[in-house]
Amino acid sequence: MYVATLPIFLLLSAPILALPSSTAPDNACASGLRLISVRGSGEPPGPGKFTDLIQGIQAAVPDTTSDPLDYPAVLKPYKPSEEAGVTNLTKAIKAHHTSCPGVPLVLMGSSQGAQVVADTLSGGGGMPAIDGKFVDNLLAVTIFGDPTHIGGTDYDRGNCTGHGRLDRGSSSAAILESYASKLRSYCVEGDHWCCSGNTPGVHGNEVQTNTAKALSFIKEMANAAGF
């Protein structure tokens, strides 16, 4: 099955007249969901590890579109890369809300991409949280191997009870907790980054290990929304 993808930077850099108007009729937008995936450090641009999850969602909800976020996704230097991800994701979410506010949004991120998604929603690392009015169409969020993972939260669905190697401040953590009904965070015991573990290979397989769980959750949320 073909996975429809278009780099976010193309959407953001297109001439303004080519973008859907905020007054565009509903039939100018997809009738399904809008997916935005955020890859991890060192992964090539594109859907990558999210391909199976995206295909599963598109099979369950027809006319669902998918776009990989364009951002550096480099490990060194990490901070400017992650901040660029937050900036670009914030712009992408706002653009979608302006053009197709009635199309439910699904976010997914892995590793550094998981932190990008979490920081965009809740702030963190000096980056501001997105204004809630731009995510009132947010349907579901799935993050995998988040370096700022906090074990024991209401949205935590992995078997790691510990914390990630990077800190998430208390104010940011509180905001993220407010998304608990729409958010699922997956972190497997032994993961070097999200669980401060030392088991080789766990971190790189977080998406594959938890794809079925994430798909089930997103399908459940879509069904509840009438899809």
Side-chain angles (χ1 to χ4, degrees):
M1 178 178 178
Y2 174 72
V3 180
T5 61
L6 182 64
I8 290 294
F9 76 90
L10 291 179
L11 300 178
L12 299 179
S13 61
I16 189 66
L17 293 178
L19 293 175
S21 167
S22 60
T23 58
D26 290 342
N27 60 13
C29 300
S31 61
L33 311 176
R34 169 74 184 284
L35 316 179
I36 300 179
S37 61
V38 190
R39 71 192 192 279
S41 302
E43 297 176 16
K49 295 178 180 179
F50 293 111
T51 298
D52 288 346
L53 178 56
I54 292 169
Q55 288 181 341
I57 298 169
Q58 291 179 323
V61 184
D63 198 28
T64 286
T65 61
S66 174
D67 299 296
L69 186 74
D70 178 68
Y71 86 112
V74 296
L75 187 59
K76 296 180 180 181
Y78 185 89
K79 184 174 174 60
S81 173
E82 197 270 338
E83 289 179 347
V86 174
T87 297
N88 290 359
L89 182 56
T90 299
K91 290 179 180 178
I93 292 172
K94 288 181 177 180
H96 171 67
H97 191 274
T98 298
S99 60
C100 295
V103 178
L105 177 66
V106 176
L107 303 176
M108 56 188 75
S110 171
S111 189
Q112 182 178 165
Q115 184 181 351
V116 167
V117 172
D119 281 357
T120 299
L121 296 177
S122 66
M127 302 296 287
I130 192 169
D131 191 315
K133 68 182 181 182
F134 294 111
V135 288
D136 57 9
N137 59 349
L138 184 64
L139 179 75
V141 181
T142 56
I143 55 178
F144 308 79
D146 176 17
T148 63
H149 169 262
I150 302 174
T153 58
D154 289 342
Y155 55 82
D156 183 17
R157 289 298 184 276
N159 64 359
C160 171
T161 58
H163 293 358
R165 292 186 178 273
L166 303 182
D167 180 60
R168 177 164 297 286
S170 58
S171 60
S172 175
I175 297 174
L176 200 59
E177 187 73 36
S178 71
Y179 286 94
S181 64
K182 300 180 178 183
L183 170 64
R184 293 294 180 265
S185 177
Y186 303 98
C187 179
V188 176
E189 185 73 32
D191 186 310
H192 175 77
W193 285 106
C194 69
C195 199
S196 298
N198 56 11
T199 304
V202 174
H203 186 69
N205 290 322
E206 286 283 4
V207 176
Q208 180 181 8
T209 299
N210 294 290
T211 287
K213 294 178 182 178
L215 177 59
S216 178
F217 169 65
I218 295 170
K219 288 168 65 175
E220 177 185 333
M221 296 296 285
N223 288 340
F227 288 95

